[in-house]
Amino acid sequence: MKNILLALCVLAICATSALAQPGGGGKRKGPPPEAFTACEGKSAGDTASFTSPRGDEVTGICVEQNGKMVLRPDNPPERGKKKQ
């Protein structure tokens, strides 16, 4: 019984420390910073583009989101799937 309790405590500590990592465990939520930079000084409906950290050219239109202009990609990646 002590071993099971000890194992549960270790798992709880590991899970808590993973949640405390900056960036929420490596998963980003929302548009990347480049999407906001691409639309600086632009209006809703303007076209813009940026190069992603992976080197892909991302094109789209600027839209307002939470009071800021951000690029909405023409071909957004599917949620939950990694781009190959």
Side-chain angles (χ1 to χ4, degrees), residues 28-68:
R28 177 183 46 78
K29 293 185 179 182
E34 296 88 353
F36 292 97
T37 303
C39 288
E40 285 180 354
K42 297 193 180 250
S43 300
D46 289 350
T47 59
S49 65
F50 68 89
T51 302
S52 76
R54 293 182 178 163
D56 300 322
E57 185 71 13
V58 180
T59 61
I61 62 167
C62 296
V63 297
E64 187 175 340
Q65 177 178 316
N66 298 326
K68 295 182 180 180

Side-chain angles (χ1 to χ4, degrees), residues 60-80:
I61 62 167
C62 296
V63 297
E64 187 175 340
Q65 177 178 316
N66 298 326
K68 295 182 180 180
M69 297 304 296
V70 62
L71 183 124
R72 177 182 293 158
D74 293 329
N75 297 310
E78 293 184 37
R79 289 185 168 212

